[in-house]
Amino acid sequence: MERKLILAIESSCDETSVAVVKDGREVLSNVIASQISTHELYGGVVPEVASRMHIEVINKVVKEALEKANITLDEIDAIGVTYGPGLVGAVLVGLQYAKGLAFSSKKPLVGVNHIEGHICANYIEHKELKPPFVSLVVSGGHTFIVYVKDYGVYEVIGQTRDDAAGEAYDKVARSLGLGYPGGPKIDKLAKEGNENAIEFPKANFHENTLDFSFSGVKSAVLNYLNKCKMQNIEINKADVAASFQKAVIDVLKQNVIKTCKQTNSDKIAIAGGVASNTALRAALEKEASKYGIEVLFPSPILCTDNAAMIGSAAYFNFINGNISDLNLNAKPNLKL
Ligand code: KG4
Ligand code: ZN
């Protein structure tokens, strides 16, 4: 098939990113303008600030992505863009820009589900990866176990009933005074701690489902910290980080392996910001190897929000004929 070039735009949270992706798997450029240092000041993402910052940089980021790829807009076959889920004001900036660009350049517009984008990051990293496989999507906003039946065909097997895994990491990190985003900080600190020091409740929702609940373990950590403060007990932050992380990872691991058995899958592709967690990677690989299951993960830059993954998802949508209308609207709660 003739080669297809996608210009992809991502702005659903606190990264403005634009990429040029060839045939869904080859990244020609992936420019990411992160707002993290601004949101750090507030301890989390401030939606209104995020939208304004996307507006300020998007034009520049698009230009830079084309330049880095050494591609002109003329050569692009389609414009891919995240239209949800995410912060509505933030999503709208990228979406409106993409619609304007598609209209003025007479190129097809391809709306992409952000969660699908995270999964597709694995197609970029692992050139041979083909469906079917099981994917664990763990990010700041989402926790899903998905059975990827085919390109663009997903069955959600389990999901969080309350907080996302990354959200729990961020909240626990904040209560430990580690700052935002908390995931990487807990990841690092936990290496110095004892994961069996404190027994926090597991993030299991119910025995009969593969759904998760992370608010219980998060509250248990907060209660533990309060209790220690009130009783003047010294807190070992590394032990808290390691024990919290174990409670989260044990359940992710257990449910994803159960899903592989149910679907007869021998591959797990993890995705999303938390997929760069070193303890999760190690624990999953160890457990999966017992059953001959292979664990795949994207490099860290493709785990957290980026437009290359959106370009990959847009490519598979595009070649399957899933073109969007120019009145495509932002869907903050878009489902997979
Ligand atoms: O995928 P992402 O960039 O944004 C969303 O779509 O939500 O994920 C961001 C999340 C944050 O909660 C961050 O704390 C978490 O991913 N994260 C990590 C690590 N790196 C990022 N969590 C645990 N360990 C890490 N190494
Ligand atoms: Zn994301």
Side-chain angles (χ1 to χ4, degrees), residues 277-334:
N277 184 270
T278 50
L280 172 66
R281 289 179 173 203
L284 211 50
E285 277 187 321
K286 190 170 167 208
E287 187 70 10
S289 70
K290 292 184 193 160
Y291 306 96
I293 299 168
E294 189 187 2
V295 181
L296 305 168
F297 33 78
S299 43
I301 197 70
L302 293 171
C303 284
T304 43
D305 290 348
N306 67 88
M309 68 186 198
I310 304 301
S312 174
Y315 167 80
F316 292 109
N317 277 310
F318 181 54
I319 59 169
N320 285 332
N322 293 327
I323 311 294
S324 307
D325 209 85
L326 278 186
N327 58 24
L328 179 68
N329 205 350
K331 295 214 168 63
N333 298 314
L334 183 64

Side-chain angles (χ1 to χ4, degrees), residues 8-293:
I9 300 178
E10 155 64 37
S11 70
S12 66
C13 191
D14 57 351
E15 262 96 29
T16 321
S17 181
V18 181
V20 177
V21 178
K22 188 172 139 190
D23 295 336
R25 305 225 183 216
E26 195 183 327
V27 180
L28 303 189
S29 66
N30 184 26
V31 181
I32 304 169
S34 176
Q35 308 174 357
I36 285 182
S37 57
T38 303
H39 297 293
E40 245 174 354
L41 305 172
Y42 307 98
V45 179
V46 185
E48 178 62 24
V49 173
S51 313
R52 285 165 189 251
M53 291 186 77
H54 286 309
I55 293 173
E56 281 167 19
V57 300
I58 191 155
N59 201 32
K60 202 175 103 219
V61 179
V62 169
K63 281 199 175 130
E64 202 181 321
L66 285 168
E67 269 165 32
K68 283 208 168 133
N70 205 9
I71 294 288
T72 63
L73 185 58
D74 264 1
E75 295 172 87
I76 296 288
D77 294 286
I79 316 283
V81 64
T82 303
Y83 72 107
L87 302 169
V88 68
V91 172
L92 273 170
V93 176
L95 180 58
Q96 291 304 100
Y97 193 100
K99 282 156 75 169
L101 201 58
F103 180 73
S104 60
S105 63
K106 301 190 177 62
K107 310 254 181 217
L109 178 78
V110 182
V112 172
N113 181 313
H114 180 83
I115 302 163
E116 176 175 26
H118 274 301
I119 296 171
C120 291
N122 281 287
Y123 293 136
I124 298 173
E125 190 78 43
H126 310 286
K127 309 287 182 219
E128 306 303 317
L129 177 65
K130 291 188 177 77
F133 58 89
V134 169
S135 186
L136 171 68
V137 187
V138 269
S139 74
H142 324 282
T143 311
F144 288 102
I145 298 181
V146 181
Y147 182 46
V148 183
K149 293 182 171 169
D150 202 344
Y151 293 103
V153 184
Y154 306 97
E155 185 187 340
V156 175
I157 307 280
Q159 56 189 302
T160 182
R161 298 281 180 102
D162 39 57
D163 292 357
E167 195 179 345
Y169 266 91
D170 292 337
K171 287 178 180 165
V172 166
R174 175 141 56 154
S175 65
L176 286 170
L178 300 177
Y180 174 86
K185 291 176 174 138
I186 291 201
D187 191 358
K188 196 163 162 233
L189 186 62
K191 291 189 207 305
E192 296 155 28
N194 171 6
E195 62 175 24
N196 298 312
I198 311 148
E199 188 144 349
F200 292 125
K202 295 275 178 284
N204 243 356
F205 187 74
H206 193 284
E207 276 180 11
N208 300 326
T209 95
L210 292 173
D211 282 353
F212 306 99
S213 162
F214 294 104
S215 72
V217 53
K218 173 200 70 188
S219 304
V221 176
L222 303 192
N223 289 341
Y224 172 83
L225 295 175
N226 281 336
K227 197 184 88 192
C228 289
K229 271 179 210 146
M230 278 162 57
Q231 299 177 357
N232 259 332
I233 301 170
E234 200 185 327
I235 296 163
N236 182 327
K237 289 188 182 183
D239 282 354
V240 176
S243 303
F244 156 75
Q245 199 167 248
K246 182 180 179 347
V248 171
I249 291 175
D250 277 356
V251 175
L252 290 174
K253 187 174 76 178
Q254 171 196 308
N255 288 8
V256 82
I257 299 284
K258 272 192 197 161
T259 305
C260 285
K261 289 182 185 161
Q262 270 180 20
T263 56
N264 224 346
S265 302
D266 62 0
K267 266 188 218 87
I268 303 166
I270 55 175
V274 186
S276 50
N277 184 270
T278 50
L280 172 66
R281 289 179 173 203
L284 211 50
E285 277 187 321
K286 190 170 167 208
E287 187 70 10
S289 70
K290 292 184 193 160
Y291 306 96
I293 299 168

